[in-house]
Amino acid sequence: QHCWFAGFLLEPKIALECDSMLPLGPGRPRPSGWQALKSRILTKMGYRVVTLHSCFWDKLNEDQKDEQIIRIRTEVGYRHSKELERQQKKIR
């Protein structure tokens, strides 16, 4: 069963999607049909959508993944919420 929700929701209104299908479009990578539909819906709801393609992501090492996440966060205007972090922090 498919999920209509975004893979990850970030502040302010950023949806991070992970696409495990192969990007078959010419030129740059293209999201699968399911991801494209979800992206259109989320965009209409006011979210900025970022799609990570697993065929490229899986080939990166940990340092390269960290660099990409930092770059994505900078480009989409991510704001870290200390209050949300405090609410979701696991208590041991």
Side-chain angles (χ1 to χ4, degrees):
Q1 184 175 7
H2 295 292
C3 178
W4 277 97
F5 301 101
F8 301 95
L9 290 177
L10 307 174
E11 294 293 329
K13 294 196 107 175
I14 300 166
L16 185 63
E17 291 287 345
C18 302
D19 192 358
S20 60
M21 304 294 200
L22 290 176
L24 299 176
R28 65 185 190 139
R30 310 220 14 121
S32 66
W34 175 249
Q35 293 294 341
L37 173 65
K38 284 175 50 176
S39 293
R40 285 193 303 271
I41 292 170
L42 287 167
T43 301
K44 290 207 183 267
M45 292 171 58
Y47 285 87
R48 292 196 61 187
V49 180
V50 177
T51 303
L52 301 175
H53 297 280
S54 65
C55 60
F56 299 119
W57 186 257
D58 294 341
K59 293 178 183 176
L60 300 176
N61 63 36
E62 289 300 316
D63 290 335
Q64 291 170 324
K65 288 178 182 179
D66 287 343
E67 288 176 22
Q68 289 298 315
I69 291 296
I70 291 169
R71 183 176 172 202
I72 288 169
R73 288 170 57 167
T74 302
E75 287 184 17
V76 297
Y78 171 77
R79 284 192 322 255
H80 185 73
S81 170
K82 294 281 187 184
E83 180 63 31
L84 185 59
E85 178 185 13
R86 198 170 25 256
Q87 289 174 2
Q88 295 181 346
K89 190 172 186 177
K90 292 183 179 178
I91 300 172
R92 292 183 182 225

